[in-house]
Amino acid sequence: MVKLCSRDPSPPPFEYVKGGGGIFADMAVHDLDMSRFLMGCEPVEILAFGSCHIDKRIMELEGSEAYDTAACLIKYENGKTAIIDVCRQAPYGYDQRAEVLGTTGES
């Protein structure tokens, strides 16, 4: 299993979020790419969900642009899974982590 976490120190400007494709397209996509690299194969199933807990101004936007917090559970061709969580604010600063769990140090 691969676990990835990404958090920014503060939410981006409203103008960046509006029309930017949302948290999955402008933030979680980088973690998805990393998980694909670590797994060495492609996803076959993805469950993704999001919510707004930080910047209430974005709640007026459509779809995933209204989310500032999100998570994904991904199943890969090899049967293994990855978990990704992203958030637009971590008061303590940037938080980027990758964890690979397995019996041989491999995903």
Side-chain angles (χ1 to χ4, degrees), residues 62-78:
E62 300 277 328
S64 65
E65 288 183 1
Y67 303 151
D68 56 26
T69 306
C72 305
L73 178 61
I74 304 133
K75 182 177 179 181
Y76 283 84
E77 293 169 333
N78 60 10

Side-chain angles (χ1 to χ4, degrees), residues 5-10 27 89-97:
C5 165
S6 292
R7 296 189 179 93
D8 287 341
S10 61
M27 190 172 182
Q89 183 175 20
Y92 49 85
Y94 282 108
D95 187 354
Q96 304 288 307
R97 288 180 271 157

Side-chain angles (χ1 to χ4, degrees), residues 16-68:
Y16 174 86
V17 177
K18 184 178 181 178
I23 197 165
F24 299 111
D26 69 27
M27 190 172 182
V29 67
H30 305 293
D31 298 277
L32 178 60
D33 284 343
M34 183 183 296
S35 71
R36 291 171 57 228
F37 172 77
L38 292 170
M39 288 295 187
C41 60
E42 296 299 318
V44 293
E45 294 180 54
I46 300 176
L47 171 63
F49 52 94
S51 54
C52 183
H53 297 285
I54 297 160
D55 187 359
K56 300 301 183 187
R57 295 175 305 147
I58 67 171
M59 292 178 74
E60 70 183 58
L61 300 175
E62 300 277 328
S64 65
E65 288 183 1
Y67 303 151
D68 56 26

